[in-house]
Amino acid sequence: MPDLANERVDHRFKALPPDAEGLTVGELAAQRRNLFTGGFTTPVLALSAESVEHNLRLLETYAERHGLAFAPHGKTSMAPQLFDRQLARGAWGITAAVPHQARVYRAHGIARIFLANELVDAVALRWLAAELDADPGFRFVCYVDSVRGVELMDEALSAAGATRPVDVVVELGAGEGARTGARTEAECAAVADAVAATGTLRLVGVAGYEGEVPDADGERVRSWLRRLTALAARFDAAGRFDPAIGEIVVSAGGSAWFDAVAEVFAEIPALSLPVLRLLRSGAYVSHDDGHYRKLTPFNRVPEEGALEPAFRLWSQVVSRPTPEQAFTNAGKRDAAHDLHLPEAQVVRDGRTGEIRPADGITVTGLSDQHAWVRTREGADLEVGDWLGMGLSHPCTAFDKWQLIPLVEADGTVVDYVRTFF
């Protein structure tokens, strides 16, 4: 496995102190520099050490309380250091979306991967066959949602001389107009029949993504989840699961409806084998200050706890052309912007270092390398100040940064999170 601590700090990693050039990441972390006074340049994205730890602990506790296994979606962070902490906090494995992500996971020693897509790329299947054959301890599960997909998988795996079958789950689509997945139970059965006719694939369960239910609300999401669990029971009653698989996988769960998943999965009746109730929520590790702040199920079940936003993007005011307008040096290359604009939260005074609320300050737009900021009359903001902003949608925040400082509340940088997008 790559030793991330021994990677050298250089120009590839934006915002890191120029005088750290040539140090290893481990050596720089050991210096415990301060984010504000330790030579970092702006813009700089920081992760709260305390909030990340809180969020990891909270989902571990939630999953235990509700009898869920969880394979958090790694595409959110693509950060093996965070994967390791998720696994240490009870994760069954890590979810991927595409072959490249699975390759990153394997390079960093991830032993269980759930790929939430149908995998029909012959080159990727050849790589997968080699990984499975080389490591008896490697567990891999992926979607199938079409007879044609099964045919392509079988052809590629047969050509590769695969000796271990690939475990698959039939994906039930979330409804007409949703994303992937077989739309009807009859289509799911046809896919399962196709799997049974191969020697290269092994049916181990059913899965889907409730976040794509059209016009999703609690009732519609629960209705679809009950279709999913009923499909598992129907397949089991029909003898579609070989007892040798050991357990039946039933998987769903994004970051917006995992309370509904927990409720419906608790209703799964006794089947012929134990059931692995596998949740795949991934955004929880950092949470956010926009999209998931509004959608998180913890808003509906506050007695279960609350996630904490861990991101803060610091940028510097580089222009104050009018009393109503300012510009900072962070833009689309630095901030998530696909769902919401960054939220101005605090100002660090460029003269005194004092941190104060960003009263009367609003981010109204982003250019490639600038944030457009509107200021109300009397707003205290001048050139040289640092503006701390909350971000919405962690999946498009992590991917803009290769090495992210992990920062304690007093500004001490205790580690650097490496991403692989």
Side-chain angles (χ1 to χ4, degrees):
M1 290 186 293
D3 186 349
L4 300 179
N6 284 327
E7 188 161 15
R8 294 287 172 182
V9 174
D10 58 26
H11 62 276
R12 293 172 296 161
F13 305 120
K14 58 185 180 181
L16 298 193
D19 67 352
E21 181 95 12
L23 296 176
T24 67
V25 172
E27 289 168 343
L28 180 58
Q31 292 181 357
R32 295 178 65 86
R33 298 196 186 196
N34 186 278
L35 184 71
F36 306 112
T37 61
F40 293 85
T41 63
T42 56
V44 56
L45 181 67
L47 273 171
S48 162
E50 294 87 354
S51 294
V52 167
E53 175 60 23
H54 169 86
N55 295 341
L56 290 167
R57 190 168 57 242
L58 181 61
L59 197 71
E60 176 189 29
T61 302
Y62 183 87
E64 288 177 349
R65 185 182 300 128
H66 292 281
L68 298 169
F70 65 107
H73 211 317
K75 55 97 175 173
T76 296
S77 71
M78 289 304 295
Q81 291 151 282
L82 297 181
F83 299 164
D84 287 346
R85 293 178 65 178
Q86 290 171 313
L87 292 166
R89 287 288 185 182
W92 172 90
I94 305 294
T95 294
V98 293
H100 161 70
Q101 293 168 359
R103 290 184 60 205
V104 171
Y105 299 1
R106 289 300 289 161
H108 291 88
I110 303 301
R112 290 174 177 162
I113 298 174
F114 185 103
L115 192 134
N117 247 331
E118 186 168 68
L119 180 58
V120 295
D121 184 309
V123 174
L125 286 162
R126 185 165 61 243
W127 168 83
L128 174 62
E131 286 290 304
L132 288 168
D133 290 349
D135 182 359
F138 174 35
R139 178 84 193 274
F140 178 88
V141 181
C142 74
Y143 283 177
V144 286
D145 80 344
S146 65
V147 171
R148 176 58 176 155
V150 170
E151 291 173 353
L152 289 169
M153 293 183 75
D154 184 42
E155 290 172 6
L157 292 167
S158 297
T163 60
R164 285 180 61 190
V166 171
D167 288 346
V168 296
V169 290
V170 174
E171 183 192 5
L172 174 67
E176 290 302 323
R179 202 163 60 188
T180 55
R183 292 300 194 249
T184 68
E185 283 75 1
E187 290 172 329
C188 288
V191 174
D193 287 342
V195 170
T198 74
T200 57
L201 304 177
R202 184 173 73 160
L203 183 66
V204 298
V206 299
Y209 176 47
E210 75 292 339
E212 287 293 323
V213 170
D215 302 316
D217 60 20
E219 181 179 352
R220 291 186 179 92
V221 167
R222 286 172 176 81
S223 176
W224 177 82
L225 286 164
R226 291 190 174 100
R227 284 182 60 199
L228 182 69
T229 58
L231 182 65
R234 185 179 307 171
F235 278 7
D236 187 46
R240 293 186 180 277
F241 299 122
D242 186 331
I245 67 176
E247 62 187 4
I248 297 168
V249 178
V250 182
S251 180
S255 295
W257 292 103
F258 56 73
D259 57 333
V261 173
E263 178 185 324
V264 175
F265 279 15
E267 302 169 356
I268 297 175
L271 302 181
S272 64
L273 294 168
V275 177
L276 182 73
R277 297 165 170 84
L278 191 62
L279 184 71
R280 304 193 308 272
S281 311
Y284 79 96
V285 67
S286 65
H287 198 44
D288 74 2
D289 278 298
H291 184 66
Y292 288 110
R293 179 176 63 190
K294 296 175 182 176
L295 294 183
T296 176
F298 287 114
N299 291 337
R300 296 187 290 271
V301 287
E303 67 277 7
E304 299 261 20
L307 293 168
E308 297 177 356
F311 276 128
R312 179 160 284 169
L313 177 63
W314 290 96
S315 63
Q316 193 167 32
V317 179
V318 293
S319 180
R320 190 78 160 95
T322 74
E324 299 81 28
Q325 195 172 35
F327 293 87
T328 79
N329 61 353
K332 294 178 181 178
R333 303 295 173 87
D334 313 297
H337 58 88
D338 55 319
L339 296 179
H340 303 95
L341 289 170
E343 176 184 85
Q345 294 179 332
V346 293
V347 175
R348 184 177 187 273
D349 193 286
R351 299 177 188 270
T352 67
E354 173 194 7
I355 294 178
R356 59 180 180 268
D359 294 336
I361 300 170
T362 306
V363 177
T364 59
L366 294 175
S367 300
D368 283 352
Q369 304 290 179
H370 290 91
W372 294 59
V373 178
R374 184 176 66 244
T375 55
R376 294 203 305 263
E377 184 177 353
D380 190 1
L381 190 69
E382 68 173 352
V383 170
D385 290 344
W386 285 28
L387 182 63
M389 298 179 286
L391 301 179
S392 177
H393 198 194
C395 300
T396 53
F398 276 107
D399 68 1
K400 294 172 175 57
W401 296 82
Q402 290 183 290
L403 205 56
I404 305 172
L406 189 67
V407 184
E408 292 182 339
D410 66 356
T412 301
V413 179
V414 295
D415 203 356
Y416 298 83
V417 174
R418 181 75 158 94
T419 65
F420 291 84
F421 284 94

